Amino acid sequence: MTLLRAHDTEDLQAEPIAVSRLPRQFLDWRLVLVVFLLVSALYVRWHLRNGWIPIDDGPVAETARRVMEGQVPHRDFDELYTGGLAYVNAAAFRALGTNLWTLRLVLFGVFLAWAPAVFYITSRFVRPLAAAGVGFLAVVWSLPNYPGAMASWYNLFLATFGTAALLRYLEDSKARWLFIAGVAGGLSFLVKVIGLYYIAGALLFLVFHAHALGASSLTADKRSSRGYEAFVTVSLLVFVAALLLVVRSHLQATEFVQFVLPGALLAALLIRNEWTEPAGPSRARFVMLARLVLPFLAGIALPVALYFAFYVHAGALGALLNGVFVAPQRRLSFIAVFAPEPATMLALVPFAAFAILAYRAKGRLTRRETILFALMLLLLLRATRGNGLLYRTIWLAARSLLPLLVIGGILLLSRKRKPDSSPLLHEQTMLLLAVTAMCSLVQFPYAVATYFGYVAPLIPLVSLALYSHVRLPARTIPAMLVAFFIAFAILRTNSTQLASKGNTYQRQPALAMLTMERGGVRVPIDQALSYDSLVKKLRIHARGGYTWASPDSPEVYFLAGLDNPTRTLFEVFDSPPSTPREIMRILEAHGVTAIVLSSPSFSPPISHEMYQLVSARFPHAEEVGPFQLRWRD
């Protein structure tokens, strides 16, 4: 009975561990997993309450509250995502209480399922102790960097679940794992439309796997008709064109290198395989591909069909399709942060030099060399505390890895395999390359540091897959690099201010709890004081259960427990935008007696006409932190 397949650091791919033969190894594996899960859970829980971004936490909480009250996303209000997560969060509100802490508890629960999936993936390539080390590297670059209950975390977790299921399929070839991987993709799409990125990566892998199966089944007859090859080629060219369409609104050299090139290179590898390596006649190839793709697509279709059926029953299918596929394209023209320039990839040079040193070493490092190397890394880590340039260099090195990993992976997979190389390892590597490359698109078009966190945990996994292709005499160097990036995350990214993350280390300011009943998380003291004061005063002046907070202030509605009379979360996304007089009619119809004006995050400030109208209608005013509270008698 197979329990664990691992790659030894000595042997490229170790034999499965049999429970009946090696009970001690089983206990060792189980102990390592338990310790890994315990340490990961405690570390993430320690960070879980800390910090927030009001324009992130606010809309997630407000949409869940509106769903809990019976409203339907896209039909009754402008949902930012597909809407499935809002129903999960609404159920959690009913069960655990309506506050920001509940959202993070849900996220933490999914994290507790994600961590074993990470360990499972890493254990395909190295022994348990090394698997735990690389797994913990993925953990510290995840939620501790930004514990907000954002939809993109769920996309990352579900992509990992799907990848683990596909890896399992490679080991036992049971179609149920393809179906489970598809369910993960369908659920990811229901959380946020970018779940399609994982689905695309999985499909790229299935094309690769279908070719590998066809090639391995050939005997003396190596005839290959061109119908299947042409179909795959056209499909992959359409895929590359779709990548270009996704980024067309902000297509710069940076975006091309980061988001288009990896997928295009993977497509080129697949096309090259089809035309240069015979894999059988077209009919058999189509049948083989269908056997792989249909269970996967069925898994996707199950949750998506159920969700769409609900919208059909609610008479809101058109609103759903517009909100999921049309509105996001419109939003791209308003919000964009370009990715770092390609020249920033030079930050990888020092770390590449260390990797080359490990590769070319004649044998194990001496004790003196090990101490010297460790001391260099410790000094570098220490210097990043006060040196912004060094901090950015390390951060940019991490961000720059993905395109280079894809190029390196393609070079590995395109060369002729040695007789003693593992076909399974090649397929595992392709899977991780494809999923990671596609999931990196989560950073488009808003390539800020927090969005890098939504793909960063996958980078150690694909790096480990590539590492498994080489034998390094000086294995101490990779181990110390893993330890360095764990320490950098713990000391320099998990504990720095969100606003400075990726740019320079700034110690996180003192935090205080949001004390209103819908709070429950720790935020900077000045923000805690402002929101606590605002909520108390707004509740005094707002009669009738409604208020209006603008622009870009959905957190005010949620924290104050007051309803929004409009369908708007962010004014910049209104299409068409409401006129000042239309807004005033809505406020009058709902009997609004108090409003909150704020500085915008994405939207333009309210117009002069709007300010005149609200000043006349709500003559009393008080400045509360960054807000202006206005009310009428």
Side-chain angles (χ1 to χ4, degrees):
M1 182 174 69
T2 297
L3 172 67
L4 178 66
R5 184 183 298 275
H7 296 286
D8 196 353
T9 53
E10 297 287 347
D11 300 319
L12 202 57
Q13 182 152 348
E15 291 298 319
I17 296 176
V19 176
S20 59
R21 292 172 51 201
L22 298 174
R24 183 181 179 120
Q25 284 85 337
F26 171 65
L27 294 175
D28 291 344
W29 171 84
R30 188 165 57 185
L31 177 62
V32 171
L33 174 59
V34 169
V35 172
F36 165 72
L37 296 179
L38 182 62
V39 172
S40 299
L42 291 175
Y43 185 71
V44 170
R45 174 60 182 83
W46 181 38
H47 287 273
L48 198 61
R49 281 191 191 267
N50 296 340
W52 76 329
I53 298 178
I55 58 170
D56 283 349
D57 293 78
V60 172
E62 177 64 4
T63 55
R65 182 192 66 82
R66 294 181 79 148
V67 166
M68 185 176 64
E69 294 177 354
Q71 297 185 42
V72 176
H74 303 292
R75 185 192 71 180
D76 300 322
F77 61 91
D78 293 330
E79 165 66 86
L80 300 179
Y81 308 125
T82 312
L85 182 59
Y87 283 94
V88 173
N89 288 333
F93 279 168
R94 292 189 182 97
L96 303 175
T98 306
N99 53 63
L100 297 178
W101 176 236
T102 291
L103 300 179
R104 299 198 181 187
L105 285 177
V106 174
L107 182 67
F108 185 56
V110 181
F111 166 83
L112 293 177
W114 175 72
V118 170
F119 183 85
Y120 177 83
I121 293 172
T122 57
S123 71
R124 303 303 93 187
F125 304 101
V126 289
R127 293 291 185 184
L129 192 59
V134 177
F136 192 63
L137 176 60
V139 167
V140 297
W141 279 87
S142 66
L143 289 187
N145 271 338
Y146 178 41
M150 301 305 297
S152 297
W153 285 128
Y154 292 92
N155 293 123
L156 168 68
F157 296 162
L158 287 163
T160 308
F161 296 149
T163 301
L166 290 171
L167 286 172
R168 184 60 183 161
Y169 170 76
L170 288 176
E171 296 182 3
D172 71 6
S173 301
K174 290 186 170 130
R176 66 170 177 263
W177 297 112
L178 296 172
F179 180 79
I180 291 170
V183 170
L187 293 175
S188 185
F189 169 76
L190 295 184
V191 168
K192 192 175 180 180
V193 70
I194 62 170
L196 293 174
Y197 299 152
Y198 155 73
I199 293 172
L203 289 173
L204 289 175
F205 160 72
L206 292 177
V207 171
F208 183 87
H209 182 55
H211 180 271
L213 290 175
S216 65
S217 64
L218 285 181
T219 54
D221 182 7
K222 294 191 175 183
R223 291 175 299 170
S224 179
S225 59
R226 296 307 186 190
Y228 180 85
E229 288 89 336
F231 166 76
V232 169
T233 299
V234 171
S235 300
L236 290 169
L237 291 176
V238 171
F239 160 73
V240 174
L243 282 180
L244 289 168
L245 285 174
V246 168
V247 303
R248 72 185 185 279
S249 60
H250 303 89
L251 186 55
Q252 306 286 337
T254 297
E255 277 61 40
F256 181 83
V257 170
Q258 289 282 347
F259 307 128
V260 178
L261 184 61
L265 290 175
L266 290 169
L269 172 65
L270 295 174
I271 292 173
R272 176 255 186 196
N273 287 349
E274 295 298 336
W275 293 97
T276 62
E277 299 178 9
S282 287
R283 179 182 177 85
R285 303 285 313 281
F286 276 115
V287 170
M288 189 175 297
L289 183 65
R291 287 176 178 172
L292 296 173
V293 171
L294 290 180
F296 180 72
L297 295 180
I300 295 170
L302 178 61
V304 173
L306 292 174
Y307 191 70
F308 274 48
F310 166 75
Y311 272 83
V312 170
H313 181 264
L317 183 60
L320 173 65
L321 295 176
N322 179 75
V324 172
F325 296 109
V326 179
Q329 295 301 315
R330 187 172 65 247
R331 294 166 188 165
L332 295 181
S333 60
F334 295 105
I335 301 174
V337 174
F338 292 109
E341 293 293 331
T344 60
M345 291 184 180
L346 293 174
L348 275 169
V349 169
F351 299 99
F354 289 136
I356 293 172
L357 175 63
Y359 183 73
R360 293 189 174 181
K362 301 298 184 183
R364 296 179 182 274
L365 295 183
T366 66
R367 179 176 297 179
R368 178 179 296 179
E369 290 170 336
T370 301
I371 293 174
L372 178 62
F373 186 75
L375 184 60
M376 291 170 58
L377 290 177
L378 286 172
L379 290 175
L380 177 60
L381 182 63
R382 176 66 180 83
T384 57
R385 179 181 178 88
N387 190 310
L389 177 61
L390 288 177
Y391 177 94
R392 285 191 297 277
T393 298
I394 296 171
W395 181 271
L396 290 171
R399 290 197 70 159
S400 303
L401 268 173
L402 184 57
L404 296 183
L405 288 175
V406 172
I407 293 172
I410 288 173
L411 292 175
L412 281 170
L413 298 178
S414 61
R415 68 185 184 181
K416 187 174 181 179
R417 287 202 298 266
K418 298 178 180 179
D420 62 342
S421 66
S422 167
L424 174 60
L425 178 58
H426 278 66
E427 298 200 56
Q428 292 170 327
T429 303
M430 179 62 184
L431 171 59
L432 286 166
L433 281 171
V435 170
T436 305
M438 295 311 302
C439 288
S440 71
L441 279 161
V442 68
Q443 300 173 87
F444 180 83
Y446 200 56
V448 296
T450 53
Y451 275 67
F452 173 63
Y454 301 135
V455 70
L458 295 178
I459 295 177
L461 309 186
V462 72
S463 300
L464 185 59
L466 295 177
Y467 170 78
S468 298
H469 286 263
V470 296
R471 295 175 183 268
L472 297 181
R475 292 187 295 272
T476 306
I477 292 179
M480 284 195 287
L481 285 175
V482 168
F484 172 80
F485 278 99
I486 289 175
F488 181 77
I490 292 173
L491 299 176
R492 297 292 181 263
T493 69
N494 298 166
S495 59
T496 194
Q497 294 185 31
L498 284 173
S500 67
K501 201 178 298 291
N503 184 49
T504 187
Y505 173 75
Q506 290 185 358
R507 189 173 181 178
Q508 197 171 67
L511 303 177
M513 189 74 73
L514 284 174
T515 58
M516 72 283 293
E517 61 269 23
R518 293 195 170 187
V521 298
R522 288 189 286 267
V523 305
I525 290 178
D526 59 335
Q527 294 185 28
L529 294 174
S530 295
Y531 278 96
D532 284 346
S533 178
L534 177 68
V535 166
K536 290 176 183 177
K537 293 177 180 180
L538 180 58
R539 285 173 173 172
I540 292 173
H541 297 293
R543 301 183 298 274
Y546 286 93
T547 189
W548 182 65
S550 180
D552 302 348
S553 302
E555 77 281 3
V556 172
Y557 300 111
F558 179 77
L559 294 176
L562 297 170
D563 289 330
N564 179 356
T566 75
R567 58 179 294 121
T568 300
L569 292 176
F570 294 98
E571 282 73 10
V572 70
F573 298 148
D574 282 354
S575 181
S578 300
T579 66
R581 297 194 179 277
E582 287 173 340
I583 294 173
M584 293 306 298
R585 283 195 292 270
I586 292 173
L587 300 185
E588 183 66 26
H590 288 82
V592 175
T593 60
I595 65 171
V596 175
L597 305 180
S598 65
S599 299
S601 300
F602 301 122
S603 306
I606 65 172
S607 65
H608 178 67
E609 178 187 3
M610 187 75 224
Y611 189 76
Q612 285 185 319
L613 290 173
V614 297
S615 296
R617 181 62 179 168
F618 306 96
H620 306 294
E622 180 181 352
E623 303 297 326
V624 184
F627 303 100
Q628 184 182 84
L629 173 63
R630 304 194 68 92
W631 71 94
R632 62 185 177 89
D633 296 329

